[in-house]
Amino acid sequence: MDIYNNHVSGILIIKKINEKTHRVVLTSDFGNKLIDFEVSENDFKLNYVLPDLDKKIVINFLKSDFQELLRQKYPVSESFENENSKIYLSKIDKKSYYLFFNKENNLLKQIIYTKNNKEKIDFSFDAKKHIFADSLNLQHKDFKINIKLFQITETE
């Protein structure tokens, strides 16, 4: 995770605790808890944050980023295609989401989140199955924030 030229690495665990809520825990490489929160589309509960990360801007970014990332429903208002992707547009309030699905395997490969017609966040996925992403890159377009997540498997 790169935030304004500061790098934080560790292990991120995302667990679905009920139909609407996920628990997100980031630990250091040595297992020390850095941040722990529960997030749903409309709620956010901070369980723990390391004092050095306890900054309103950091918490707000994590809250909004994970609310967008873990959004479960995208009502489709338009659809179109390009050479490689089927693209679906979903509009919710003043937010728009462009969902790109790979034509070859029909897997989600990218979500571009816009607000007031300005691109805000680019979520890019690499996946082999519909259920899990092998990797995720979350790139903010108006702030120097980039989050890269990789799935850890038993063989790694």
Side-chain angles (χ1 to χ4, degrees):
M1 184 179 321
D2 295 309
I3 303 173
Y4 293 105
N5 299 322
N6 294 307
H7 184 77
V8 177
S9 69
I11 299 171
L12 182 77
I13 302 162
I14 302 173
K15 181 178 181 179
K16 190 171 189 174
I17 57 176
N18 64 41
E19 196 59 39
K20 296 182 179 181
T21 306
H22 290 79
R23 185 161 184 183
V24 179
V25 178
L26 175 64
T27 66
S28 71
D29 292 328
F30 295 107
N32 297 326
K33 194 184 309 185
L34 303 175
I35 192 164
D36 176 354
F37 59 89
E38 295 172 24
V39 63
S40 68
E41 191 171 325
N42 300 314
D43 293 320
F44 181 83
K45 178 184 172 192
L46 186 62
N47 297 321
Y48 173 81
V49 62
L50 186 73
D52 289 345
L53 292 176
D54 196 5
K55 310 280 187 262
K56 188 173 184 177
I57 191 167
V58 172
I59 303 301
N60 285 338
F61 268 111
L62 291 172
K63 173 186 173 186
S64 64
D65 288 354
F66 280 91
Q67 281 179 327
E68 296 303 337
L69 175 63
L70 298 171
R71 178 179 296 280
Q72 296 183 36
K73 296 186 181 190
Y74 294 93
V76 175
S77 57
E78 292 180 53
S79 64
F80 28 91
E81 296 184 15
N82 66 19
E83 187 176 312
N84 302 315
S85 303
K86 293 179 185 175
I87 306 162
Y88 299 95
L89 172 61
S90 177
K91 293 184 178 183
I92 303 167
D93 300 321
K94 293 182 181 180
K95 301 174 184 179
S96 295
Y97 303 88
Y98 294 87
L99 292 87
F100 293 77
F101 286 84
N102 185 316
K103 279 186 177 179
E104 290 180 18
N105 59 19
N106 211 27
L107 295 175
L108 180 65
K109 67 177 185 177
Q110 185 178 30
I111 299 173
I112 296 178
Y113 160 57
T114 67
K115 188 173 181 182
N116 298 322
N117 293 322
K118 184 177 178 190
E119 189 173 337
K120 294 290 186 180
I121 306 173
D122 179 347
F123 298 94
S124 298
F125 306 91
D126 182 28
K128 295 181 188 98
K129 298 180 182 177
H130 288 279
I131 300 171
F132 293 108
D134 296 313
S135 67
L136 163 70
N137 187 33
L138 185 157
Q139 176 70 53
H140 279 264
K141 298 301 180 177
D142 49 0
F143 295 99
K144 292 182 181 180
I145 297 175
N146 186 28
I147 300 172
K148 293 181 182 179
L149 304 173
F150 301 94
Q151 182 182 18
I152 297 174
T153 61
E154 292 179 26
T155 59
E156 293 180 26

